[in-house]
Amino acid sequence: MGIKLSLADVPLGPFAGSLITVYSARSKAANLHVSRQCGRLRTSDVRTADVPLETTMLKRLCSRCAAWGVWGRPGTGLGMFLGALGGTGLLYQLQSYTEPDEDDCWTDREAREAAALLRSEQDFGCDDEEEMEDGTSRREAREDAEELRGLIFAHWRGAGRSLHRAQAVLAHFPWMEEWAKPSLTAKMQYLETLRAQAARFIDPEEFVVAAAATALPMPELPRADPAFAVLGDDGRVAGTLVDLWRRWQSAAGRPWEGWGTRAYLSYEIVRGVRSNRKGYDAARAEAARLIESWEGQARAAATAADRAPRCRLTAHVPEASEADSRHGVRDFLDGLDTWTLGVLLTWTVDADWGRGVLTLEVPDLVAERLLSPASGLPCSPADAAPDLPERDHGPGGRPGVVRPGIFDDTPVFDRRPVTLDHIRALRTLTPGVDELYLVFSASGGAEVLPLGTIERRLAKGWRGVLIAGARDLPGSVIGPEEPEHSPEPEARDAQLPGRGQGVRDPYFGEGLGLVEGGRQTLRQTYGTEDRDVNLRLLALARGVHDLRSLDAGRPGGLPVAVWHGLLTEDRLDLAPFRQPGGDRWRSGSGLPLGPLAAVQLYTTNANPMIEGKGHSPLCRHAHERAVVTDDDLLTIVELMARTDFDWCSKCGGYAIRRLSDSQLSYYRAAHQLHDIKRRLDGESGNPGTETSTVIARLDDLAACQPGDETEWCSSDSWQWQDTIRELRRRVARSHAVVGPGEPVS
C-alpha cells in the first residue's frame, strides 16, 4: 500500500494561526467548509466564522473542500500555500507514483521479454504470421510488446513529472521537506525501477549510430544515374533524391523504428510510378543500395568514434511554456523526442528533478547532437557556464521561499521587499495570477505595473514591495458586477457626441466616460468570476499614466474586454475649441481645452513619413490587438495642431482614452456654452429661448469648476469667464432689441 496523507498531516510552518473564513451548520460537530457554495453544506442556516489555521480545524474540514476548495484570495502567501497542497498539488503528487499501479501493472519478466522481442524485430523481412510459443502471431506479439513499451515509458515520464512537481513545490515551503522525505524516497525508488525497465528497450549502440547519422553531411547524389530516369527529368530526379536523403536521415535519428523502416523508404522513391512500368524495379533497387550505403557510412562513423561515455553535460529539461500549459499542449518531458528520452534513460548519472537539472555522461557523438541548435534539450558542458534558461535561485540555489509579508498577508507597514524568485513562485503556484499590481518603491513611489515589468525591474536591481493585486481591491468601490439596463434608444443615441437630444441632454457624451467603459467591459465578459476580475483590472489600469506600458503584445496581457473599458473609438466633437471663422457650420468658439488638453489618443501610426495608415488599437485592421509598446501616443492639443495624419477610414485612426468625470463634465459644459454662442451667431442674433433662461444657464456655466481648482489654470479660467461675460452682454443687447415681455423668435 502507498503512503496515505491528509491535509491535517501537513506542517503549517509560518502560516499556522492565520485566520481562515469557514462556513458550517449550527451543530457543534458539523464539518467546516471553505466555500459557502460547497455541495455538502446542505443547510440554509449557515454559520460564518474566522478561525485560526491549525490541525484541529483541518481535521474538521469537509473532504471535498480539503481537496478542491479555494482558500482565501489567489496570489496571497496563504492562498498560494494552501492552493499548492490541494487538487493535483503536493498531497496528490506525494501519493502518486510511489509503487506499481494496480490497473496498469506488469512484471519485470514481461518487460524483459517485450524488450528482447522488439530487438529481434529490428531486421526487415520477418514473417508477421509466424506463430510464437504462446500461440499468438509474431505481429500480435510485436504489437503487445510495443504497447507495453509505450506504457512503461509513459509511466516513467509521469513519475518524473510528479517528482518534479513535488520537489518544485517543496522548494518554496522548506518547513515541509522533512515531513515529505519518506514519500519522496518512495517516489525516487519507483522512478529508478521504471527507468531500469524502460532502459531495456534501448540499445546504446544504436543510439550512437543514430547520432552519427544525423551528423552526416549530404553526400554526392547520383542524379545522372540511368536507373532513376523513370522518375522524370533531371530536376525531378534531383529533388526526389534530396527528399530520400532527408527522410532517411530523419528516420535514422529514430533508432526504435529499426532498419526495416528505413529500408522501406526505397519504395517511397517510386511512389506514383506503376509497378509494371519499365525501370520501376531498377529505380527501387538502386534506392535500396543508396540507403544501405548511407547506413554503412553512419555505422562506420559510429565505429570510428569513441563510444565510451566521456563527455559530461548539464541539461535542463524544458518546462511547458505559459501558453502551452494553459491549453494543455505540453508538459514536463512531453516535448522531447524518443531519441532524447532514450539518452536520458541511458546516460543520466545525477538528477535534480525539482529544478529539472540532469547530469549526463555521454559518448562524443551523442554530446555533439545534444549540443547542436536542433536539440530539443538545452545542454551545456558541465564545466562551463550554462547557456540555458535563467533559473538562478540566489544563494544556495534555493528559490524564493513563500512566507507571510511578501504579498498581502500583513499590513503594508510590515511588507518585505519582493524578489525575482518570489515573482517566479507566484507564477508557478498561482496559475492565472493577477497581471497588474500596485507597487511602491523609494525610487518611483506608488505605481501600477504588469507582473512582467516588475520582473524586468527586479532583474536590474529594483527594490520595492507589492501593495495589492487586482483581487485585493475592495469590492465596495469597484462598482456593480452586472451591466446596468441600457437606456432607451433615444438616450443611447444621445450618449454619442453630437447626437440625440442635444447638448443639454443628461446623457450627452456619456459614451466617452468611465461609466460607459465599465459597462463595455461587463458586456464583453462572460462568467461571474471573470466580470469581477475584469472590473478590478480595469480599476487598476486606470491608474497607469501611459497605457503602452501595459503592452497588450506580451503573453497573458489584459483581456480585450478591459481594453474596451479603457479606450473608446467614439470621436470627440472639438467644435467648441476651434477658433472662430467665417463658416458658421465649422466655426468654433475658441474655448480653452482645459482638462481635455491631457486626453490621450493611441494609434498604430501617427507619422505620415512611415508607410501605412494609422489605426485604432481596437480596429479590425490592427487585429483588435489593443495597445502595444510600439504604438504612438498623442494628446488632443497635438491632434488639433496637425493636419497631416493619414487615418484609417473605418476606425478614424485612433482610440481615445476614456474621459474622467471632471473631463466629461467640462466637455458637456463647453458644448452647452458653444451652443449658446452658435445660436447668438445665427441670422437673428437671438439665443432661441427665454432670455432669463439663457442668463441662468450662463450663470451655471460661470460656476463651472472642472476637477481640482489647481488644475483650472488662470489663463484658461480667465478665457472661460471672458467668453461668458461677452455672451451675457450679447444676450442683454438681444433682450433690449426685442423688448421686455416680448417672446424671442
Side-chain angles (χ1 to χ4, degrees), residues 284-333:
R284 194 201 64 75
E286 184 62 21
R289 188 194 66 77
L290 268 179
I291 292 173
E292 188 174 353
S293 70
W294 297 337
E295 291 278 340
Q297 293 177 34
R299 293 191 178 278
T303 302
D306 187 352
R307 300 194 181 192
R310 299 179 183 276
C311 189
R312 195 175 183 91
L313 302 179
T314 299
H316 279 232
V317 179
E319 300 265 10
S321 69
E322 185 175 338
D324 286 345
S325 61
R326 188 166 56 245
H327 294 93
V329 178
R330 281 181 53 182
D331 203 347
F332 188 74
L333 290 176

Short mmCIF file of all heavy atoms in Angstrom, two decimals, residues 284-333:
data_model
loop_
_atom_site.label_atom_id
_atom_site.label_comp_id
_atom_site.label_asym_id
_atom_site.label_seq_id
_atom_site.Cartn_x
_atom_site.Cartn_y
_atom_site.Cartn_z
N ARG A 284 13.96 1.25 -57.76
CA ARG A 284 13.80 0.87 -56.36
C ARG A 284 15.05 0.16 -55.84
O ARG A 284 15.50 0.40 -54.71
CB ARG A 284 12.58 -0.03 -56.20
CG ARG A 284 12.14 -0.19 -54.75
CD ARG A 284 11.30 -1.42 -54.56
NE ARG A 284 12.05 -2.64 -54.85
CZ ARG A 284 12.97 -3.16 -54.05
NH1 ARG A 284 13.25 -2.56 -52.91
NH2 ARG A 284 13.59 -4.26 -54.38
N ALA A 285 15.61 -0.68 -56.67
CA ALA A 285 16.82 -1.40 -56.25
C ALA A 285 17.98 -0.45 -56.03
O ALA A 285 18.77 -0.59 -55.08
CB ALA A 285 17.18 -2.46 -57.30
N GLU A 286 18.13 0.54 -56.92
CA GLU A 286 19.21 1.50 -56.76
C GLU A 286 19.00 2.36 -55.51
O GLU A 286 19.95 2.70 -54.81
CB GLU A 286 19.32 2.37 -58.00
CG GLU A 286 20.48 3.36 -58.01
CD GLU A 286 21.84 2.65 -57.96
OE1 GLU A 286 21.92 1.46 -58.31
OE2 GLU A 286 22.81 3.30 -57.54
N ALA A 287 17.73 2.71 -55.22
CA ALA A 287 17.43 3.45 -54.00
C ALA A 287 17.78 2.63 -52.76
O ALA A 287 18.33 3.15 -51.78
CB ALA A 287 15.96 3.86 -53.97
N ALA A 288 17.49 1.32 -52.80
CA ALA A 288 17.82 0.45 -51.68
C ALA A 288 19.34 0.39 -51.48
O ALA A 288 19.84 0.36 -50.35
CB ALA A 288 17.25 -0.94 -51.91
N ARG A 289 20.09 0.36 -52.60
CA ARG A 289 21.54 0.33 -52.50
C ARG A 289 22.07 1.63 -51.88
O ARG A 289 22.99 1.62 -51.05
CB ARG A 289 22.14 0.12 -53.89
CG ARG A 289 23.66 -0.11 -53.86
CD ARG A 289 24.24 0.02 -55.24
NE ARG A 289 24.14 1.38 -55.73
CZ ARG A 289 24.94 2.38 -55.33
NH1 ARG A 289 25.88 2.17 -54.43
NH2 ARG A 289 24.78 3.60 -55.83
N LEU A 290 21.44 2.76 -52.28
CA LEU A 290 21.84 4.05 -51.70
C LEU A 290 21.61 4.07 -50.19
O LEU A 290 22.48 4.48 -49.41
CB LEU A 290 21.04 5.17 -52.36
CG LEU A 290 21.62 5.86 -53.59
CD1 LEU A 290 20.65 6.93 -54.08
CD2 LEU A 290 22.97 6.48 -53.28
N ILE A 291 20.44 3.63 -49.78
CA ILE A 291 20.10 3.63 -48.35
C ILE A 291 21.07 2.74 -47.59
O ILE A 291 21.55 3.10 -46.50
CB ILE A 291 18.64 3.17 -48.16
CG1 ILE A 291 17.68 4.22 -48.71
CG2 ILE A 291 18.35 2.90 -46.69
CD1 ILE A 291 16.22 3.80 -48.70
N GLU A 292 21.41 1.58 -48.16
CA GLU A 292 22.34 0.68 -47.50
C GLU A 292 23.72 1.32 -47.37
O GLU A 292 24.40 1.16 -46.34
CB GLU A 292 22.43 -0.63 -48.29
CG GLU A 292 23.22 -1.71 -47.58
CD GLU A 292 23.18 -3.04 -48.31
OE1 GLU A 292 22.41 -3.15 -49.29
OE2 GLU A 292 23.90 -3.96 -47.89
N SER A 293 24.12 2.07 -48.40
CA SER A 293 25.43 2.74 -48.31
C SER A 293 25.42 3.83 -47.24
O SER A 293 26.42 4.02 -46.53
CB SER A 293 25.80 3.33 -49.67
OG SER A 293 24.97 4.45 -49.99
N TRP A 294 24.31 4.53 -47.12
CA TRP A 294 24.22 5.56 -46.07
C TRP A 294 24.26 4.93 -44.68
O TRP A 294 24.86 5.47 -43.76
CB TRP A 294 22.95 6.39 -46.25
CG TRP A 294 22.91 7.16 -47.55
CD1 TRP A 294 23.98 7.53 -48.30
CD2 TRP A 294 21.75 7.62 -48.22
NE1 TRP A 294 23.56 8.20 -49.42
CE2 TRP A 294 22.19 8.28 -49.41
CE3 TRP A 294 20.38 7.55 -47.99
CZ2 TRP A 294 21.30 8.85 -50.31
CZ3 TRP A 294 19.49 8.12 -48.89
CH2 TRP A 294 19.95 8.77 -50.04
N GLU A 295 23.58 3.78 -44.55
CA GLU A 295 23.62 3.06 -43.28
C GLU A 295 25.06 2.68 -42.93
O GLU A 295 25.50 2.81 -41.79
CB GLU A 295 22.75 1.80 -43.36
CG GLU A 295 21.27 2.05 -43.45
CD GLU A 295 20.64 2.32 -42.09
OE1 GLU A 295 21.24 1.95 -41.07
OE2 GLU A 295 19.56 2.93 -42.05
N GLY A 296 25.78 2.23 -43.94
CA GLY A 296 27.17 1.86 -43.71
C GLY A 296 28.02 3.04 -43.29
O GLY A 296 28.89 2.92 -42.41
N GLN A 297 27.78 4.20 -43.91
CA GLN A 297 28.54 5.40 -43.54
C GLN A 297 28.27 5.77 -42.07
O GLN A 297 29.19 6.15 -41.34
CB GLN A 297 28.16 6.56 -44.44
CG GLN A 297 28.59 6.40 -45.89
CD GLN A 297 28.11 7.56 -46.75
OE1 GLN A 297 28.04 8.70 -46.30
NE2 GLN A 297 27.77 7.26 -48.00
N ALA A 298 27.00 5.69 -41.67
CA ALA A 298 26.66 6.04 -40.29
C ALA A 298 27.32 5.09 -39.30
O ALA A 298 27.87 5.51 -38.28
CB ALA A 298 25.14 6.03 -40.11
N ARG A 299 27.30 3.77 -39.61
CA ARG A 299 27.91 2.80 -38.69
C ARG A 299 29.42 2.94 -38.66
O ARG A 299 30.06 2.77 -37.61
CB ARG A 299 27.50 1.39 -39.09
CG ARG A 299 26.01 1.14 -38.88
CD ARG A 299 25.60 -0.31 -39.00
NE ARG A 299 24.18 -0.43 -38.72
CZ ARG A 299 23.65 -0.50 -37.51
NH1 ARG A 299 24.45 -0.47 -36.44
NH2 ARG A 299 22.35 -0.61 -37.34
N ALA A 300 29.99 3.28 -39.83
CA ALA A 300 31.44 3.49 -39.86
C ALA A 300 31.84 4.69 -39.01
O ALA A 300 32.84 4.66 -38.28
CB ALA A 300 31.91 3.67 -41.30
N ALA A 301 31.05 5.76 -39.11
CA ALA A 301 31.34 6.94 -38.30
C ALA A 301 31.19 6.64 -36.81
O ALA A 301 31.96 7.13 -35.98
CB ALA A 301 30.41 8.09 -38.70
N ALA A 302 30.17 5.84 -36.47
CA ALA A 302 29.96 5.49 -35.07
C ALA A 302 31.07 4.58 -34.56
O ALA A 302 31.51 4.69 -33.40
CB ALA A 302 28.61 4.81 -34.89
N THR A 303 31.56 3.67 -35.42
CA THR A 303 32.62 2.74 -35.01
C THR A 303 33.93 3.48 -34.79
O THR A 303 34.68 3.20 -33.84
CB THR A 303 32.81 1.66 -36.07
OG1 THR A 303 31.57 0.96 -36.26
CG2 THR A 303 33.91 0.67 -35.66
N ALA A 304 34.21 4.46 -35.67
CA ALA A 304 35.46 5.21 -35.56
C ALA A 304 35.49 6.10 -34.33
O ALA A 304 36.56 6.42 -33.81
CB ALA A 304 35.67 6.05 -36.82
N ALA A 305 34.33 6.52 -33.88
CA ALA A 305 34.26 7.42 -32.73
C ALA A 305 34.43 6.66 -31.43
O ALA A 305 34.20 5.45 -31.34
CB ALA A 305 32.93 8.17 -32.72
N ASP A 306 34.83 7.37 -30.41
CA ASP A 306 34.97 6.79 -29.08
C ASP A 306 33.58 6.66 -28.47
O ASP A 306 32.89 7.65 -28.24
CB ASP A 306 35.85 7.69 -28.21
CG ASP A 306 36.17 7.03 -26.87
OD1 ASP A 306 35.59 5.97 -26.58
OD2 ASP A 306 37.00 7.60 -26.13
N ARG A 307 33.16 5.42 -28.20
CA ARG A 307 31.80 5.21 -27.69
C ARG A 307 31.74 5.23 -26.16
O ARG A 307 30.66 5.10 -25.60
CB ARG A 307 31.26 3.87 -28.19
CG ARG A 307 31.20 3.79 -29.72
CD ARG A 307 30.36 2.64 -30.15
NE ARG A 307 30.31 2.53 -31.60
CZ ARG A 307 29.46 1.75 -32.26
NH1 ARG A 307 28.60 1.01 -31.61
NH2 ARG A 307 29.48 1.69 -33.58
N ALA A 308 32.84 5.38 -25.53
CA ALA A 308 32.83 5.45 -24.07
C ALA A 308 32.21 6.77 -23.63
O ALA A 308 32.48 7.82 -24.22
CB ALA A 308 34.24 5.34 -23.53
N PRO A 309 31.34 6.74 -22.62
CA PRO A 309 30.70 7.99 -22.15
C PRO A 309 31.68 8.86 -21.39
O PRO A 309 31.81 8.77 -20.17
CB PRO A 309 29.56 7.48 -21.26
CG PRO A 309 30.00 6.13 -20.80
CD PRO A 309 30.85 5.56 -21.89
N ARG A 310 32.37 9.72 -22.13
CA ARG A 310 33.41 10.56 -21.53
C ARG A 310 32.98 12.02 -21.37
O ARG A 310 33.59 12.75 -20.60
CB ARG A 310 34.67 10.51 -22.38
CG ARG A 310 35.28 9.14 -22.52
CD ARG A 310 36.52 9.17 -23.40
NE ARG A 310 37.09 7.85 -23.61
CZ ARG A 310 37.92 7.24 -22.76
NH1 ARG A 310 38.27 7.87 -21.66
NH2 ARG A 310 38.40 6.04 -23.02
N CYS A 311 31.98 12.45 -22.12
CA CYS A 311 31.59 13.86 -22.11
C CYS A 311 30.50 14.10 -21.07
O CYS A 311 29.42 13.47 -21.12
CB CYS A 311 31.10 14.26 -23.51
SG CYS A 311 30.84 16.02 -23.69
N ARG A 312 30.75 14.99 -20.16
CA ARG A 312 29.79 15.28 -19.07
C ARG A 312 29.03 16.57 -19.42
O ARG A 312 29.63 17.62 -19.62
CB ARG A 312 30.53 15.43 -17.75
CG ARG A 312 29.64 15.38 -16.51
CD ARG A 312 30.51 15.42 -15.25
NE ARG A 312 29.72 15.30 -14.04
CZ ARG A 312 29.41 14.16 -13.43
NH1 ARG A 312 29.84 13.02 -13.95
NH2 ARG A 312 28.69 14.14 -12.32
N LEU A 313 27.70 16.46 -19.45
CA LEU A 313 26.84 17.58 -19.82
C LEU A 313 25.85 17.88 -18.71
O LEU A 313 25.44 16.98 -17.95
CB LEU A 313 26.05 17.28 -21.11
CG LEU A 313 26.84 16.95 -22.37
CD1 LEU A 313 25.87 16.67 -23.52
CD2 LEU A 313 27.78 18.07 -22.74
N THR A 314 25.45 19.12 -18.62
CA THR A 314 24.35 19.54 -17.74
C THR A 314 23.16 19.91 -18.63
O THR A 314 23.30 20.72 -19.53
CB THR A 314 24.74 20.75 -16.88
OG1 THR A 314 25.86 20.39 -16.06
CG2 THR A 314 23.58 21.17 -15.99
N ALA A 315 22.03 19.30 -18.36
CA ALA A 315 20.83 19.51 -19.18
C ALA A 315 19.71 20.06 -18.32
O ALA A 315 19.54 19.66 -17.17
CB ALA A 315 20.39 18.22 -19.85
N HIS A 316 18.94 20.97 -18.89
CA HIS A 316 17.74 21.48 -18.25
C HIS A 316 16.54 20.99 -19.04
O HIS A 316 16.37 21.34 -20.22
CB HIS A 316 17.74 23.01 -18.23
CG HIS A 316 18.55 23.60 -17.13
ND1 HIS A 316 18.05 24.54 -16.25
CD2 HIS A 316 19.82 23.38 -16.73
CE1 HIS A 316 18.99 24.88 -15.39
NE2 HIS A 316 20.07 24.19 -15.66
N VAL A 317 15.72 20.16 -18.40
CA VAL A 317 14.53 19.67 -19.08
C VAL A 317 13.59 20.85 -19.28
O VAL A 317 13.24 21.54 -18.32
CB VAL A 317 13.83 18.57 -18.27
CG1 VAL A 317 12.58 18.08 -18.99
CG2 VAL A 317 14.80 17.41 -18.03
N PRO A 318 13.17 21.13 -20.53
CA PRO A 318 12.35 22.33 -20.77
C PRO A 318 10.98 22.22 -20.14
O PRO A 318 10.34 21.17 -20.17
CB PRO A 318 12.25 22.39 -22.31
CG PRO A 318 12.49 20.99 -22.75
CD PRO A 318 13.43 20.37 -21.76
N GLU A 319 10.57 23.32 -19.53
CA GLU A 319 9.21 23.42 -18.98
C GLU A 319 8.24 23.72 -20.10
O GLU A 319 8.62 24.23 -21.16
CB GLU A 319 9.15 24.56 -17.95
CG GLU A 319 10.10 24.36 -16.78
CD GLU A 319 9.42 23.73 -15.60
OE1 GLU A 319 8.29 23.26 -15.76
OE2 GLU A 319 10.04 23.69 -14.53
N ALA A 320 6.95 23.42 -19.87
CA ALA A 320 5.93 23.87 -20.80
C ALA A 320 5.86 25.38 -20.75
O ALA A 320 5.99 25.98 -19.70
CB ALA A 320 4.57 23.26 -20.45
N SER A 321 5.69 26.02 -21.92
CA SER A 321 5.53 27.47 -21.94
C SER A 321 4.21 27.83 -21.29
O SER A 321 3.32 27.00 -21.12
CB SER A 321 5.55 27.99 -23.38
OG SER A 321 4.39 27.57 -24.07
N GLU A 322 4.07 29.10 -20.93
CA GLU A 322 2.84 29.57 -20.27
C GLU A 322 1.63 29.32 -21.15
O GLU A 322 0.59 28.87 -20.70
CB GLU A 322 2.97 31.05 -19.94
CG GLU A 322 1.80 31.60 -19.14
CD GLU A 322 2.02 33.04 -18.73
OE1 GLU A 322 3.17 33.50 -18.69
OE2 GLU A 322 1.01 33.71 -18.44
N ALA A 323 1.75 29.62 -22.46
CA ALA A 323 0.62 29.42 -23.37
C ALA A 323 0.31 27.94 -23.53
O ALA A 323 -0.85 27.52 -23.53
CB ALA A 323 0.92 30.04 -24.74
N ASP A 324 1.37 27.08 -23.63
CA ASP A 324 1.16 25.66 -23.81
C ASP A 324 0.50 25.04 -22.59
O ASP A 324 -0.44 24.26 -22.70
CB ASP A 324 2.48 24.96 -24.09
CG ASP A 324 2.99 25.23 -25.50
OD1 ASP A 324 2.18 25.71 -26.31
OD2 ASP A 324 4.17 24.98 -25.77
N SER A 325 1.01 25.39 -21.40
CA SER A 325 0.45 24.80 -20.20
C SER A 325 -0.99 25.23 -20.00
O SER A 325 -1.81 24.48 -19.48
CB SER A 325 1.30 25.19 -18.98
OG SER A 325 1.31 26.58 -18.81
N ARG A 326 -1.34 26.44 -20.43
CA ARG A 326 -2.70 26.90 -20.28
C ARG A 326 -3.66 26.12 -21.16
O ARG A 326 -4.81 25.88 -20.83
CB ARG A 326 -2.76 28.40 -20.61
CG ARG A 326 -4.11 29.03 -20.30
CD ARG A 326 -4.02 30.54 -20.32
NE ARG A 326 -3.53 31.08 -21.55
CZ ARG A 326 -2.37 31.74 -21.68
NH1 ARG A 326 -1.58 31.90 -20.65
NH2 ARG A 326 -1.98 32.23 -22.85
N HIS A 327 -3.19 25.70 -22.35
CA HIS A 327 -4.03 24.96 -23.27
C HIS A 327 -3.77 23.46 -23.23
O HIS A 327 -4.33 22.72 -24.03
CB HIS A 327 -3.82 25.48 -24.70
CG HIS A 327 -4.28 26.90 -24.87
ND1 HIS A 327 -3.43 27.97 -24.73
CD2 HIS A 327 -5.49 27.42 -25.15
CE1 HIS A 327 -4.10 29.10 -24.93
NE2 HIS A 327 -5.35 28.79 -25.19
N GLY A 328 -2.92 23.00 -22.32
CA GLY A 328 -2.70 21.58 -22.16
C GLY A 328 -1.96 20.93 -23.31
O GLY A 328 -2.12 19.74 -23.56
N VAL A 329 -1.13 21.66 -24.03
CA VAL A 329 -0.44 21.11 -25.19
C VAL A 329 0.79 20.32 -24.76
O VAL A 329 1.03 19.22 -25.24
CB VAL A 329 -0.04 22.23 -26.17
CG1 VAL A 329 0.72 21.66 -27.36
CG2 VAL A 329 -1.29 22.96 -26.66
N ARG A 330 1.60 20.84 -23.86
CA ARG A 330 2.83 20.20 -23.44
C ARG A 330 2.99 20.28 -21.94
O ARG A 330 2.42 21.14 -21.28
CB ARG A 330 4.04 20.87 -24.10
CG ARG A 330 4.30 20.49 -25.51
CD ARG A 330 5.55 21.20 -26.01
NE ARG A 330 6.69 20.99 -25.14
CZ ARG A 330 7.88 21.55 -25.35
NH1 ARG A 330 8.07 22.34 -26.39
NH2 ARG A 330 8.87 21.32 -24.53
N ASP A 331 3.77 19.34 -21.43
CA ASP A 331 4.11 19.39 -20.02
C ASP A 331 5.54 18.89 -19.86
O ASP A 331 6.20 18.54 -20.84
CB ASP A 331 3.13 18.53 -19.22
CG ASP A 331 3.06 18.96 -17.77
OD1 ASP A 331 3.93 19.73 -17.34
OD2 ASP A 331 2.14 18.52 -17.07
N PHE A 332 6.00 18.82 -18.65
CA PHE A 332 7.36 18.40 -18.35
C PHE A 332 7.67 17.06 -19.01
O PHE A 332 6.94 16.08 -18.84
CB PHE A 332 7.49 18.29 -16.82
CG PHE A 332 8.88 18.05 -16.33
CD1 PHE A 332 9.81 19.07 -16.34
CD2 PHE A 332 9.24 16.81 -15.84
CE1 PHE A 332 11.09 18.85 -15.85
CE2 PHE A 332 10.51 16.59 -15.36
CZ PHE A 332 11.44 17.61 -15.36
N LEU A 333 8.73 16.99 -19.82
CA LEU A 333 9.21 15.82 -20.55
C LEU A 333 8.41 15.50 -21.81
O LEU A 333 8.85 14.70 -22.63
CB LEU A 333 9.23 14.56 -19.67
CG LEU A 333 10.27 14.50 -18.54
CD1 LEU A 333 10.07 13.24 -17.71
CD2 LEU A 333 11.68 14.51 -19.11
#
